[in-house]
Amino acid sequence: MDNRELSWLKFNARVLEEAEDAGVPLFERLRFLSIFRSNMDEFFMIRVGGLGDQLHLKKERLDTKTFLSAAEQLTLISERVKELIPRFTESYSEVMRALAREDILIQVRPENKHCTPGKTALSASDEEFLRAQFEQEVLPFLTPSVIDKRHPNHFLRNLELYAAAFLKKAGSDKQEKGGNTMVGIVPVLSQGVFKRVFYLPSENEAVRFILVEDLILYYLDKVFNNYVITGKAIFKITRNADLDVNEAVFDEDMELDFREIMEEMLKKRIKLTPVRIDFTGENIPEDYQKIVSKLNLNLKDSFTFLLEAPLDFTFIGELEEKLKDRQELFYEKLSPRQAFLADPNEKILKQLDKGDILLCYPYESINTFIKLLEEAAADPLVVSIKITLYRVARDSKVINALITAAENGKDVLALVELRARFDEENNIGWSVRLEDAGVNVMYGLEDLKVHSKLLLITKKSGQGIKYYTQIGTGNYNERTSRLYTDFTLMTSAQDIGSDASLVFNALSVGTTVSNTSTLWVAPKGLKPRVVEMLDTEIIYGKEGYIGFKLNSLTDRDIIEKLVEASKKGVKIELLVRGICCLIAGVPGETENITVTSVVGRFLEHSRVYIFGRGGRQKIYISSADFMTRNTEKRVEVASPVRDPRTRELILEDFNALLHNNSKARVQNNAGVYEKSQPNESDKDTQTELYKLAYKRERERDFNRIKPKKISWFKRIIGKIKFENKHN
């Protein structure tokens, strides 16, 4: 098996490959570099931070897959990251050179005028323009400080950019007493008081820009004008953010509700231990480690990294707006289509009485789901709406529909998971707004995150009540529904609705369900069902089949069961985008297993479980990856997909991603992911699936209006015949 952390770094290397791919449009390559950097930030905050905490445990904890200690894992992580950084910086330089050659986008990076006297990348007019920008727009808002014996402490915020300078007093060749150089610190992006990007005048259509950190670095002598600067750099620290909710409660007797506890946790997270420091600059001083020691960061050299690229890529959003008319820099524009299985001219609730509807994001629009919620909010026969919310958009139509439902007198229950990593603050805000509107808000269970994507609408009918249920693989987030591939199933199947009702009833009293008839519900009822289905395929041996589409595969029990199935000859096809601790193709062990990872313009996020072939084939969609945290430590829901039309769509997606895909990497028996040699038949399957959705939409609309056209045609012909007969 592979180590979880090292497998994740392989995934991020696949993201970097997209930035390195000359076939990807130039600005999209910048976007992949940005994703690579933000992924790495989160990896260090959570995974490296957690491993660092393990170093302080009395009893050593070993990785359950490779039996590596935390210290051994940290060493290997440092080595792998230092292998990736030169590729990252070279890719950034290559993309910027290509943009500059085309006179499209030119980054001005003035050289360090203190370390290389007389050299500058600026013309006289550029210098005059930038000096004015700095003095008027930046300098008044800077808050510099000097770290010395009189001012030994300076708190550094997580992921904040800082300019640092080595200083000695003007008119003196002596350093600070004791031989230690003074260090000056300037926060770069604090409070967002000035722009990140400054645009320079240009005689042609080229966009010439300088990042504010480079501007500050260039004019640091105006900030520390009483000192001589002997070296300078931009740096950023990353702090451990792997904080358990219980750690946020400082006093067991504090009378805080869960939302207040989460607010306390967010305050505490700001001050956690540094785990990494990154440096960048034109001439980074060789003794940059003095900055680390001066700031008392207690970081080892192994987690100090030097980059020749920006440390924060959020600036590309501003550049994208500036370049939006240059279509050759971007992927072909794709707009989500109307759902193939839904009639836009008929009420969704009425359509669900006839059959299931499956939405395939981002190829199809989330608006059909929003329409379902809005209909339920307005329908006088709808009694209640219950939903689990993990991540929602900042301007959420889902939230607005729930508020409308509450205002219309519906019984609305929203379980808001306040522990959704890095969305805590957003979710706290939504929980307040929902409560203010009269929605009953819950915060989940004490020891389990509620990660399911579940909606239950209860409606009065002639026979009593009727359930309408939605089960999804992804969040109720309008923004990410355009960026992530996900499925959402809407159904009026009463057995599914009854199970969903049991789930919400259990959550309402702080427990989880143990037995359900149709849905699989973690932590008690999902993994045993999966293992049971795997055992069935093992019985079928070479006639058996298993297909999984996941974000991650780390659950040891499931991995061992897959190995057992492989040994019995079962064909196993795994689409695993990210972490995969199973190594495929090992003779005598996993030789009947293939592992394929697809990394492309959309994030492959849907979870699909397929068991068997032909008439006995069973298909499930789920919110759960096969990680122990999902199968044993969260509330997750998987639902069967039974309607032949919805099954066909899922299988079409699954098989398309497996075959003839230019964005697929296949894992070999050494755990290395290899991209197959491109063939003319290989295509970007994600783009092809969008085109297929567009084709379906056109065919559906044609078939819908065709009978009307024929009817209209018959009326015209009949009228002509009538007039001819009577003339």
Side-chain angles (χ1 to χ4, degrees):
M1 295 189 197
D2 202 357
N3 174 264
R4 168 183 169 148
E5 319 309 341
L6 301 183
S7 180
W8 184 90
L9 287 172
K10 291 177 186 177
F11 158 66
N12 213 27
R14 297 194 290 278
V15 173
L16 183 55
E17 284 177 10
E18 289 299 295
E20 295 169 330
D21 186 347
V24 174
L26 282 171
F27 198 89
E28 304 296 348
R29 292 173 68 183
L30 273 183
R31 203 188 309 278
F32 278 112
L33 289 169
S34 176
I35 294 169
F36 175 89
R37 279 296 296 172
S38 61
N39 283 351
M40 201 67 84
D41 287 344
E42 185 169 336
F43 176 72
F44 270 88
M45 284 190 286
I46 303 304
R47 302 307 306 173
V48 175
L51 288 171
D53 289 341
Q54 289 183 32
L55 295 176
H56 304 292
L57 297 176
K58 292 182 180 179
K59 184 177 180 180
E60 188 173 61
R61 185 185 298 173
L62 301 181
D63 168 41
T64 59
K65 316 301 185 306
T66 56
F67 306 107
L68 294 169
S69 67
E72 289 170 329
Q73 291 178 74
L74 289 169
T75 298
L76 290 170
I77 287 169
S78 175
E79 291 172 359
R80 300 291 168 84
V81 172
K82 288 187 176 180
E83 291 171 2
L84 291 173
I85 283 177
R87 287 175 54 188
F88 169 76
T89 56
E90 175 53 32
S91 181
Y92 178 75
S93 298
E94 181 185 332
V95 172
M96 296 310 297
R97 285 194 299 266
L99 289 166
R101 281 195 299 269
E102 300 296 325
D103 280 341
I104 296 172
L105 187 66
I106 301 171
Q107 181 179 5
V108 175
R109 301 192 75 181
E111 295 187 41
N112 189 324
K113 58 186 176 182
H114 298 286
C115 295
T116 52
K119 289 188 177 182
T120 176
L122 303 177
S123 67
S125 59
D126 287 339
E127 178 90 48
E128 183 179 351
F129 173 81
L130 289 179
R131 186 188 301 112
Q133 292 288 304
F134 177 78
E135 292 177 349
Q136 297 169 19
E137 304 290 334
V138 178
L139 183 58
F141 302 102
L142 296 181
T143 308
S145 59
V146 175
I147 309 301
D148 57 20
K149 289 185 176 181
R150 294 181 182 83
H151 311 88
N153 297 313
H154 185 103
F155 178 73
L156 303 171
R157 298 177 66 86
N158 184 40
L159 302 184
E160 176 71 88
L161 294 185
Y162 292 89
F166 284 129
L167 307 173
K168 65 180 182 180
K169 292 185 177 179
S172 172
D173 292 330
K174 295 182 179 179
Q175 294 179 324
E176 187 185 15
K177 189 176 181 181
N180 294 319
T181 305
M182 290 179 288
V183 175
I185 301 291
V186 182
V188 170
L189 301 178
S190 183
Q191 310 304 317
V193 293
F194 39 71
K195 299 180 292 184
R196 179 74 188 284
V197 180
F198 287 82
Y199 297 103
L200 286 80
S202 179
E203 295 179 357
N204 53 28
E205 295 183 359
V207 176
R208 300 173 67 229
F209 74 99
I210 186 170
L211 297 177
V212 69
E213 59 262 38
D214 290 327
L215 187 63
I216 292 172
L217 203 66
Y218 189 60
Y219 289 111
L220 267 184
D221 58 336
K222 296 184 178 297
V223 179
F224 299 105
N225 51 12
N226 293 323
Y227 298 89
V228 174
I229 297 175
T230 60
K232 53 188 179 179
I234 300 295
F235 73 93
K236 177 178 83 172
I237 70 162
T238 308
R239 291 184 179 274
N240 181 1
D242 188 30
L243 181 63
D244 186 83
V245 175
N246 295 327
E247 297 177 52
V249 188
F250 306 111
D251 184 345
E252 292 181 358
D253 296 325
M254 290 173 69
E255 295 183 0
L256 299 176
D257 68 22
F258 192 68
R259 188 163 62 205
E260 292 172 319
I261 290 172
M262 290 303 300
E263 289 170 344
E264 292 294 337
M265 188 198 79
L266 294 179
K267 293 175 185 175
K268 189 174 182 182
R269 179 185 281 170
I270 295 172
K271 301 177 181 179
L272 290 182
T273 308
V275 294
R276 175 185 68 163
I277 186 166
D278 292 321
F279 286 94
T280 188
E282 289 295 321
N283 286 280
I284 300 174
E286 291 182 2
D287 51 353
Y288 61 87
Q289 279 292 353
K290 287 183 179 179
I291 297 176
V292 180
S293 61
K294 275 284 185 183
L295 296 172
N296 298 314
L297 295 179
N298 194 29
L299 276 167
K300 297 179 181 179
D301 288 353
S302 56
F303 287 108
T304 301
F305 303 102
L306 276 63
L307 293 83
E308 296 178 12
L311 302 182
D312 181 313
F313 267 71
T314 55
F315 68 91
I316 71 168
E318 293 183 50
L319 295 181
E320 182 174 7
E321 181 65 23
K322 201 81 168 176
L323 299 170
K324 62 184 179 182
D325 295 330
R326 303 295 297 265
Q327 285 303 308
E328 73 277 14
L329 301 178
F330 301 93
Y331 285 128
E332 175 188 357
K333 282 189 176 180
L334 303 179
S335 299
R337 314 315 305 168
Q338 288 286 342
F340 172 60
L341 297 180
D343 185 342
N345 301 312
E346 187 177 4
K347 288 186 178 296
I348 303 299
L349 289 171
K350 186 176 180 181
Q351 292 181 64
L352 291 178
D353 289 332
K354 303 173 189 175
D356 296 350
I357 294 175
L358 183 79
L359 304 181
C360 308
Y361 306 146
Y363 314 114
E364 296 178 332
S365 172
I366 196 175
N367 289 340
T368 302
F369 171 74
I370 302 295
K371 184 179 177 184
L372 170 68
L373 269 182
E374 291 173 344
E375 282 181 19
D379 191 327
L381 295 180
V382 168
V383 177
S384 67
I385 300 173
K386 300 177 181 180
I387 193 169
T388 58
L389 299 174
Y390 195 75
R391 300 186 198 276
V392 295
R394 293 194 178 276
D395 184 17
S396 175
K397 293 180 181 179
V398 172
I399 296 290
N400 292 338
L402 295 174
I403 289 173
T404 300
E407 292 173 345
N408 288 343
K410 313 296 180 192
D411 180 12
V412 182
L413 172 69
L415 190 150
V416 183
E417 183 49 79
L418 299 185
R419 293 164 294 187
R421 187 93 66 183
F422 303 121
D423 262 4
E424 298 97 340
E425 188 173 351
N426 192 36
N427 286 1
I428 287 170
W430 283 127
S431 70
V432 172
R433 185 177 169 191
L434 287 167
E435 280 186 350
D436 289 346
V439 174
N440 295 314
V441 176
M442 297 189 300
Y443 301 132
L445 306 181
E446 182 177 351
D447 299 319
L448 301 170
K449 282 187 181 181
V450 179
H451 188 249
S452 59
K453 290 62 167 114
L454 186 65
L455 166 74
L456 178 65
I457 297 168
T458 304
K459 182 178 178 179
K460 289 186 290 187
S461 71
Q463 291 73 41
I465 63 168
K466 188 162 189 176
Y467 292 125
Y468 298 88
T469 314
Q470 176 272 333
I471 307 97
T473 68
N475 297 300
Y476 301 112
N477 188 314
E478 296 94 295
R479 178 182 173 273
T480 57
S481 74
R482 299 174 68 95
L483 303 173
Y484 297 0
T485 71
D486 272 307
F487 293 119
T488 194
L489 177 68
M490 299 181 287
T491 181
S492 63
Q494 294 307 287
D495 57 340
I496 290 178
S498 295
D499 280 353
S501 181
L502 291 175
V503 172
F504 280 108
N505 288 343
L507 292 173
S508 296
V509 295
T511 62
T512 59
V513 295
S514 299
N515 297 305
T516 48
S517 65
T518 308
L519 297 179
W520 297 352
V521 185
K524 298 174 183 176
L526 188 145
K527 185 171 174 177
R529 299 284 187 91
V530 171
V531 171
E532 180 183 332
M533 297 296 284
L534 292 175
D535 282 333
T536 299
E537 296 310 305
I538 289 171
I539 293 171
Y540 278 93
K542 293 182 179 179
E543 300 301 316
Y545 176 79
I546 299 163
F548 292 152
K549 183 173 186 292
L550 307 163
N551 294 289
S552 299
L553 172 60
T554 68
D555 187 297
R556 187 179 183 89
D557 296 329
I558 292 177
I559 290 174
E560 289 178 345
K561 191 60 69 171
L562 289 170
V563 173
E564 182 183 346
S566 173
K567 289 179 178 180
K568 293 294 184 180
V570 179
K571 183 176 181 180
I572 302 169
E573 295 178 313
L574 305 179
L575 281 165
V576 186
R577 171 179 55 85
I579 304 167
C580 183
C581 293
L582 180 147
I583 297 178
V586 178
E589 295 286 328
T590 57
E591 60 189 16
N592 291 306
I593 303 177
T594 60
V595 174
T596 303
S597 173
V598 176
V599 177
R601 67 179 294 182
F602 301 127
L603 183 83
E604 289 293 337
H605 191 254
S606 54
R607 291 92 165 185
V608 177
Y609 316 153
I610 305 170
F611 305 94
R613 294 190 186 278
R616 67 179 191 84
Q617 185 178 70
K618 292 181 171 58
I619 301 173
Y620 287 77
I621 64 168
S622 177
S623 59
D625 287 310
F626 288 156
M627 307 177 77
T628 306
R629 73 179 188 188
N630 299 97
T631 57
E632 297 181 6
K633 300 176 182 178
R634 289 184 175 183
V635 177
E636 307 271 13
V637 174
S639 171
V641 182
R642 300 182 290 207
D643 187 302
R645 303 172 305 160
T646 59
R647 290 164 63 89
E648 182 182 348
L649 291 177
I650 289 173
L651 289 174
E652 195 167 46
D653 176 271
F654 187 86
N655 291 321
L657 291 169
L658 275 176
H659 305 293
N660 297 326
N661 190 350
S662 64
K663 297 300 179 183
R665 284 87 169 166
V666 180
Q667 187 198 70
N668 65 23
N669 59 17
V672 176
Y673 288 81
E674 299 176 323
K675 200 171 184 180
S676 58
Q677 292 299 317
N679 299 314
E680 290 185 7
S681 61
D682 288 348
K683 296 179 179 179
D684 177 357
T685 303
Q686 292 180 333
T687 302
E688 293 302 307
L689 286 169
Y690 165 78
K691 291 178 180 177
L692 185 59
Y694 180 63
K695 180 181 177 182
R696 286 198 192 106
E697 181 187 51
R698 291 177 63 189
E699 289 177 351
R700 181 204 60 201
D701 291 344
F702 175 77
N703 291 331
R704 186 177 292 127
I705 66 172
K706 187 177 179 181
K708 297 179 182 178
K709 285 188 174 181
I710 292 173
S711 176
W712 172 82
F713 181 74
K714 284 182 177 178
R715 288 199 303 272
I716 294 297
I717 295 298
K719 184 177 181 181
I720 292 171
K721 287 181 178 179
F722 177 84
E723 290 175 349
N724 287 340
K725 182 178 178 180
H726 290 83
N727 282 337

